[in-house]
Amino acid sequence: MAITKKNILTRLYVVAGCLFLFAVAVVVKLVSIQMVHGDKYKELALERTEKMFTIAPNRGNLYSDDGSLLATSVSRYSIRFDAVTVKEADFEAKVGPLSQALSNLLTKPVGHYEQLLRKAKINKNRYALVARNLDYSEYMAVKVLPLFNMGPYKGGLIVEQKTVREHPLGKIAERSIGYERFDENGYPTRVGLEGAFGQYLRGVEGKRLKQKIAKGQWKPIGNDNIVEPKDGYDVISTIDINIQDIAHHALLGQLEKYKADHGCVIVMETKTGEIKAISNLGRTTEGKYYERLNYAIGESHEPGSTFKLMSLAAALEDQVIDTSKIIDTEKGRWRVYDRIVRDSKHGGYGKISVAKAFEVSSNTAFAKIIHENYKQKPSAFVKRLKSMRLDRELGMPIKGEGVPVLRSPGSKGWSGISLAWMSHGYEVSLTPLQTLAFYNAIANDGEMLRPRLIKEVKEWNKTIHKFDKEVLNPSICSKETASQLQQLLKNVVEKEHGTGHRLYSPNFSMAGKTGTAQKNYVSKDPDKLKYISTFAGYFPAESPKYSCIVVIHEPDKSVGYYGADVSGPVFKSVARKIYANNPLVDEVESLEPKSVSADQDYERFYSEAQKQYNKVPNVRGMSGMDAIAILENLGLKVEVKGNGKVRKQSISHGTDLSKVELIVLELS
């Protein structure tokens, strides 16, 4: 028995010792948590109940050159209800009036909202969805409804805001306007103007503290943000929405007529390099067309006969040829080693001048001109082309510019036939915009400009950054050569034998060059042979104001495929409609005082508004962008319908500002 008692005591001592050690461990852990790691665990606990959320700022607006909206950020609001924070007495007293008010505002039946709110109260739902996708005026109306006007704690109101990007022009120029998106890992995809100038448009993020109320549900704490977001700057592009609309529909009609795969149009202001329109349309499997890719900037391909302008410019500059020299077109077939160059006209053009060879677009003539004059020094031809900047990208801010291809002797792909094939646009590669930049330089007496898509960056009426004309090459050729080429481009359209004569109109002048390039020409299967139809040039032929290129890929061969037939009519339609909107008149210096500039006009309006700061100003006739800036600076909420200049304002000028919250502007 003694032994038994001794065993029991031993066990008790062991148990007591274990309990003592456990107690010591607990005390040590508590001290460690409290004194050593206290801050860490407090922060962890706080993170599980409170969290800082990022608030995306409103992106700046993207405007056309006249102040019409191309892209804008619009705030949308979701309304939720925290049924737990609302006292029972307040809920019962105001649930009826609140349901009625919600029904009046959002059109659903009263019973729908009362059932939703009561169900949330019974289930102690802290995150019940009441309405989503509300605009600003609807959100402001909800805030003052019964119960909700008591705020987030007493009234249970939870407001969630998001910003969406809208394009007022719809699908027109959608790819050129573009977007900037971030995936779940934060990696960006940047397309078009939105992507290229995101540094100005995107603004600075804000911060908002939220409290966790359920799994995956967070409720804002308080009414204010910890850090207010800063909206992005506005970007004024060079796009003219009227010219853009003309180019888009002219291209669309021709793509549909010829059942082509895709195509593009670019219209550029000759003297400044400002791109006034850029349209890219691709075909779906259903035969519809939409802005699929930016072919104008990103697609490099063999230009075909439009490259004859570059070849002739090089030969004239090197003085190896002149436009009056006679060339034998060899009955439309000329052999270069084991290959044959062919003219589109069966039997060729006989013996013709270099000038006429350009006007009728003779492949054999140009192959002979370049091959025979440079075969002993092929690098001289390539060097001259490079001096005209045909081997380099334009350096466009929009991502994805196609890389030009210009081979040199000794490089991969160069052979004995390269000179002959390069002469009429094969074994070289350019994007439509790179080709247009060269044609624009010829129209501009040799000065090559970097095409521009942006004029300035603004914050309200303050200019943050202005973009001016950029000269890439002050003289790609002599003025004498440019003058000769200008006359030949004019002859292509005006002379009866010119490949572009079907586009001639006595009412307005044009100058340009047709191009028809073969695709898949290495294939021996004729069914796989495709074409690229191009027309590049400028208008008017004298004192050019605009340059333009139209490129259409893979038209239905049974309908037609020559550049003059497929792409030329688009060029003519664009030129004709621009002429109709801006008829040429003799300029006579006016004796009247010169009109004020757009900036002076804005300052005058704003100055008048400040003088009568308690009155609504008259903004009719102003650009939408300037009108919005003035009215919002006066504390008004502005809603805009349409694009262009202000045609009508919902509140008459002279109305007391204290009586106005929202003004609606109708733009032309």
Side-chain angles (χ1 to χ4, degrees):
M1 187 171 180
I3 294 174
T4 303
K5 286 182 178 181
K6 185 177 180 180
N7 289 339
I8 292 172
L9 287 172
T10 301
R11 291 174 183 175
L12 286 174
Y13 291 146
V14 171
V15 171
C18 290
L19 290 173
F20 177 75
L21 291 174
F22 177 74
V24 170
V26 170
V27 170
V28 170
K29 189 65 177 177
L30 287 173
V31 171
S32 174
I33 292 173
Q34 186 68 26
M35 305 301 293
V36 180
H37 302 291
D39 293 338
K40 174 185 173 182
Y41 286 111
K42 285 178 183 177
E43 186 178 338
L44 183 61
L46 193 60
E47 282 183 0
R48 291 182 176 178
T49 57
E50 295 181 0
K51 185 177 179 182
M52 195 71 71
F53 282 77
T54 297
I55 304 172
N58 285 328
R59 283 179 74 86
N61 292 329
L62 181 62
Y63 292 96
S64 69
D65 63 350
D66 71 344
S68 300
L69 278 170
L70 298 178
T72 185
S73 291
V74 179
S75 293
R76 297 297 180 191
Y77 301 85
S78 293
I79 305 300
R80 294 183 180 271
F81 179 55
D82 182 355
V84 174
T85 62
V86 180
K87 293 181 180 179
E88 189 69 32
D90 291 335
F91 179 81
E92 290 299 333
K94 297 184 178 182
V95 66
L98 174 59
S99 300
Q100 182 64 59
L102 286 169
S103 177
N104 294 338
L105 180 65
L106 305 176
T107 70
K108 288 186 178 181
V110 177
H112 166 80
Y113 291 106
E114 185 162 357
Q115 182 182 9
L116 184 154
L117 295 169
R118 289 191 178 278
K119 184 177 180 180
K121 189 67 175 173
I122 292 170
N123 295 334
K124 297 182 178 181
N125 190 337
R126 305 200 65 180
Y127 203 60
L129 178 64
V130 177
R132 61 158 46 101
N133 206 33
L134 303 185
D135 61 28
Y136 180 80
S137 59
E138 290 171 328
Y139 155 63
M140 294 300 291
V142 167
K143 281 182 66 176
V144 298
L145 297 183
L147 190 61
F148 285 169
N149 60 8
M150 297 172 68
Y153 295 111
K154 293 183 179 180
L157 176 65
I158 300 175
V159 178
E160 295 177 335
Q161 179 182 350
K162 68 176 181 179
T163 302
V164 297
R165 202 69 170 160
E166 292 188 354
H167 294 175
L169 292 185
K171 296 297 181 181
I172 294 177
E174 183 179 33
R175 191 74 185 182
S176 299
I177 293 170
Y179 56 83
E180 183 179 54
R181 297 173 184 163
F182 295 85
D183 63 17
E184 62 275 7
N185 298 315
Y187 294 111
T189 300
R190 297 187 172 104
V191 172
L193 291 169
E194 289 267 24
F197 303 108
Q199 59 179 321
Y200 301 114
L201 290 164
R202 69 177 68 102
V204 181
E205 294 177 338
K207 300 292 182 182
R208 183 72 186 269
L209 190 62
K210 294 186 180 183
Q211 180 182 31
K212 189 173 184 179
I213 56 177
K215 185 177 181 180
Q217 298 178 3
W218 296 83
K219 174 182 175 180
I221 297 176
N223 293 320
D224 299 322
N225 298 320
I226 302 300
V227 177
E228 290 296 331
K230 182 181 179 182
D231 292 345
Y233 295 128
D234 293 333
V235 171
I236 318 301
S237 76
T238 62
I239 298 295
D240 182 309
I241 58 171
N242 293 319
I243 298 177
Q244 180 69 45
D245 185 66
I246 291 167
H248 173 88
H249 287 97
L251 177 64
L252 177 61
Q254 204 72 345
L255 288 172
E256 291 175 337
K257 177 180 178 180
Y258 283 88
K259 304 174 186 176
D261 183 73
H262 64 275
C264 67
V265 179
I266 315 167
V267 182
M268 186 162 69
E269 199 169 72
T270 308
K271 299 299 181 185
T272 65
E274 292 185 0
I275 295 176
K276 294 301 176 183
I278 179 168
S279 183
N280 300 275
L281 295 174
R283 192 169 188 255
T284 68
T285 53
E286 292 78 26
K288 303 295 182 181
Y289 291 92
Y290 73 109
E291 291 253 347
R292 188 170 66 188
L293 295 170
N294 199 330
Y295 306 109
I297 293 176
E299 185 175 38
S300 186
H301 58 82
E302 291 177 315
S305 291
T306 54
F307 197 79
K308 288 171 182 169
L309 184 71
M310 292 75 158
S311 297
L312 187 54
L316 291 173
E317 281 294 281
D318 287 337
Q319 298 181 352
V320 299
I321 200 80
D322 63 64
T323 56
S324 62
K325 184 173 181 178
I326 302 301
I327 305 293
D328 187 353
T329 61
E330 306 285 352
K331 297 182 180 181
R333 290 167 61 89
W334 185 61
R335 179 178 292 276
V336 186
Y337 300 114
D338 62 338
R339 300 285 293 277
I340 296 176
V341 180
R342 293 179 174 83
D343 279 331
S344 60
K345 181 183 178 182
H346 183 69
Y349 301 94
K351 294 180 179 181
I352 56 176
S353 67
V354 170
K356 188 172 182 179
F358 182 84
E359 292 155 9
V360 300
S361 198
S362 170
N363 294 336
T364 58
F366 267 80
K368 290 181 75 173
I369 291 169
I370 301 303
H371 180 79
E372 292 183 349
N373 285 287
Y374 287 99
K375 62 184 178 181
Q376 301 301 325
K377 46 178 182 178
S379 59
F381 178 64
V382 177
K383 183 179 179 181
R384 176 61 67 178
L385 294 177
K386 288 183 176 180
S387 75
M388 296 188 289
R389 215 181 182 281
L390 290 171
D391 62 325
R392 284 172 281 171
E393 299 171 22
L394 296 169
M396 297 298 293
I398 289 181
K399 302 293 183 183
E401 181 181 357
V403 179
V405 174
L406 187 63
R407 295 191 181 102
S408 301
S411 65
K412 184 179 179 181
W414 184 272
S415 69
I417 65 169
S418 289
L419 283 174
W421 255 251
M422 289 172 67
S423 70
H424 56 287
Y426 293 93
E427 293 195 17
V428 294
S429 184
L430 295 170
T431 68
L433 187 58
Q434 289 160 1
T435 298
L436 180 62
F438 187 92
Y439 274 72
N440 191 81
I442 297 301
N444 215 18
D445 297 326
E447 184 181 60
M448 178 179 279
L449 305 177
R450 175 175 283 123
R452 282 192 299 125
L453 282 158
I454 184 173
K455 281 188 168 184
E456 60 181 322
V457 177
K458 297 184 78 172
E459 183 179 28
W460 300 111
N461 63 320
K462 177 184 176 183
T463 297
I464 303 299
H465 190 74
K466 194 172 183 66
F467 295 82
D468 297 316
K469 180 175 84 170
E470 291 185 69
V471 178
L472 293 175
N473 189 332
S475 181
I476 63 168
C477 62
S478 67
K479 289 191 175 182
E480 181 184 359
T481 295
S483 178
Q484 288 179 290
L485 296 175
Q486 289 167 5
Q487 185 60 51
L488 294 181
L489 289 167
K490 183 179 177 182
N491 291 347
V492 168
V493 176
E494 293 189 356
K495 290 197 172 184
E496 290 188 8
H497 61 251
T499 55
H501 185 66
R502 276 171 286 186
L503 307 176
Y504 173 73
S505 171
N507 300 319
F508 55 90
S509 62
M510 301 180 296
K513 181 72 184 74
T514 58
T516 308
Q518 295 180 349
K519 295 176 71 174
N520 304 323
Y521 52 81
V522 295
S523 173
K524 295 182 180 180
D525 185 352
D527 292 334
K528 292 183 178 180
L529 185 63
K530 307 288 185 182
Y531 291 90
I532 305 171
S533 302
T534 306
F535 193 95
Y538 50 84
F539 54 90
E542 300 82 11
S543 301
K545 187 173 183 181
Y546 297 105
S547 58
C548 177
I549 187 169
V550 183
V551 182
I552 294 178
H553 285 250
E554 301 179 22
D556 188 330
K557 290 180 290 187
S558 65
V559 184
Y561 56 86
Y562 285 112
D565 299 327
V566 181
S567 295
V570 179
F571 183 99
K572 182 178 180 179
S573 179
V574 170
R576 177 169 54 83
K577 290 179 180 178
I578 291 176
Y579 267 97
N581 290 336
N582 302 281
L584 297 177
V585 295
D586 292 331
E587 293 187 4
V588 180
E589 186 173 352
S590 174
L591 298 177
E592 297 294 325
K594 292 185 178 180
S595 61
V596 296
S597 67
D599 287 341
Q600 290 173 320
D601 190 47
Y602 177 92
E603 293 296 338
R604 179 173 60 80
F605 269 87
Y606 193 55
S607 176
E608 290 176 1
Q610 286 184 315
K611 290 177 183 177
Q612 303 179 33
Y613 63 89
N614 59 336
K615 304 291 184 183
V616 174
N618 181 9
V619 296
R620 284 180 295 178
M622 294 185 65
S623 72
M625 177 183 62
D626 288 343
I628 292 169
I630 288 174
L631 295 171
E632 289 190 343
N633 279 337
L634 292 172
L636 296 177
K637 173 64 181 175
V638 184
E639 184 178 312
V640 178
K641 297 180 179 178
N643 280 289
K645 295 185 177 180
V646 179
R647 182 176 61 187
K648 184 179 179 182
Q649 58 187 80
S650 64
I651 306 297
S652 301
H653 69 277
T655 303
D656 194 332
L657 281 175
S658 63
K659 298 178 181 179
V660 182
E661 288 186 2
L662 175 70
I663 183 169
V664 180
L665 303 180
E666 292 185 15
L667 308 185
S668 60

